[in-house]
Amino acid sequence: MQPQRDLRGLWLLLLPWFLLLLEVARAGRLVVSCPAACLCASNILSCSKQQLPNVPHTLPSYTALLDLSHNNLSRLRAEWTPTRLPHLHSLLLSHNHLNFISSEAFSPVPNLRYLDLSSNQLRTLDESLFSGLQALEVLLLYNNHIMAVDRSAFEDVVQLQKLYLSQNHISRFPLELCGLPKLTLLDLSSNKLKSLPLSNLQKLPAWFKNGLYLHNNPLHCDCELYQLFSHWQYRQLSSVVDFQEDLYCMSSKQLYNVFNLNCSEYKERAWEAHLGDTLTIHCDTKQQGMTKVWVTPSNERVLDMVANSTVTMFENGSLQIKGVQVEDGGVYTCYAMGETFNETLSVELKVFNFTLHGHHDTLNTAYTTLVGCILSVVLVLIYLYLTPCRCWCRGVEKPSSHQGDSLSSSMLSTTPNHDPMAGGDKDDGFDRRVAFLEPAGPGQGQNGKLKPGNTLPVPEATGKGQRRMSDPESVSSVFSDTPIVV
């Protein structure tokens, strides 16, 4: 009986350990102790300043914060940890010698929210490098040697709020980062930026521009850059107010402060609208999620989505005015209230007393009148220069008798005929006579022109001088009813 009792006691002693091992096996977890080179406190592992060339392989799966800063790590491969770390939310890798990061390096840490890669030797941010970190909120990449940022490096990083890229060698403004929905801080200071997409930056909301740091870059000096930063200064945005003395630009290989450029002073422009337009005014605050209230120029508060109202406010705080009228003009005030501060914005609306469609009609009428005038001038020129050829376009002049004048010769001469053979004792001056064309006879056509095959009878000389037919070289008149002084 004694051996049976001993076996029963031994079984009772081993049963708890057996149940514990069974539970661990069910959970699929391995009990791993703290690595020798690290200091562990609950779920925090500090392996800093240990001159580690590689990441320790035995990392507990429950690790929430892993500090590997100030070591000798040079490459972060896909298999840098054989254990998946689903609870890891903070990873510190600053002050190492990292020059390569695998595109699959962050697959074992899908819930990472804070990543510090500052003060390393990274040169490029490759395609889809951080795409797997959909929970990432803060990323530090300052003080590296980054020259190029791939357009898809931050694709699907929809929770990213703060991105530090200062003190690198970036020469292209990464405009794709402006599309991240929750990004409120983008530090691009102390890089190699020479130009900015000014038109795109002007369209960004104030809460984004408030955290867009661009100081200490060799930007090209021009007045558009001055207007951009002057507007930010007018709005008291932190990115300009806090670093106003460090906003430089380059011209002729010399640095100038942007606000010392010889450009026209910035003035806030009013919103413009025409009669009948539908206009949407935004309350462009420096912080997201603020409670907004609009007050009209007549000091009336705008209620949210009131039915049958021409002025309404949407859930995002924007103000819409339907069927704009002249009396809608004036200053609209937006009162914004947030957790940390309040803000008041004023927007001036200028309404033109005509419809935009009517304005186009006026332009069309003026254009039609101009075209009509041009066509009239063209028709006159065609009439003058495309009529049958007159005497001045004839070739070598051949002598002809009065009976054989050309059919294209003039009917009346505007210059006096001086015949040296004519007799008479006429005083100084020339003989004045008024002649009228007779109605067209059988041998004349329209405007007193001769029909082919007919000749004009020559009148006999009478009075003090002999009068001949007009010289072929004289300027002719084609108007049959006009009296001519000869």
Side-chain angles (χ1 to χ4, degrees), residues 450-467:
L450 293 178
K451 294 183 179 179
N454 294 285
T455 59
L456 184 67
V458 180
E460 295 181 359
T462 59
K464 297 181 181 180
Q466 184 180 1
R467 187 170 181 271

Side-chain angles (χ1 to χ4, degrees), residues 437-484:
L437 278 179
E438 294 297 331
Q444 293 182 350
Q446 254 187 343
N447 291 334
K449 293 185 179 180
L450 293 178
K451 294 183 179 179
N454 294 285
T455 59
L456 184 67
V458 180
E460 295 181 359
T462 59
K464 297 181 181 180
Q466 184 180 1
R467 187 170 181 271
R468 301 185 306 167
M469 287 294 297
S470 300
D471 295 331
E473 294 81 1
S474 62
V475 181
S476 61
S477 172
V478 295
F479 300 97
S480 60
D481 296 330
T482 306
I484 305 298

Side-chain angles (χ1 to χ4, degrees), residues 399-443:
S400 59
S401 62
H402 297 293
Q403 303 292 335
D405 283 339
S406 171
L407 293 178
S408 61
S409 62
S410 172
M411 295 301 300
L412 289 176
S413 175
T414 59
T415 58
N417 295 323
H418 302 279
D419 193 347
M421 299 301 297
D425 53 354
K426 187 70 177 174
D427 296 334
D428 294 338
F430 46 82
D431 191 11
R432 291 178 174 268
R433 296 185 181 89
V434 179
F436 293 87
L437 278 179
E438 294 297 331

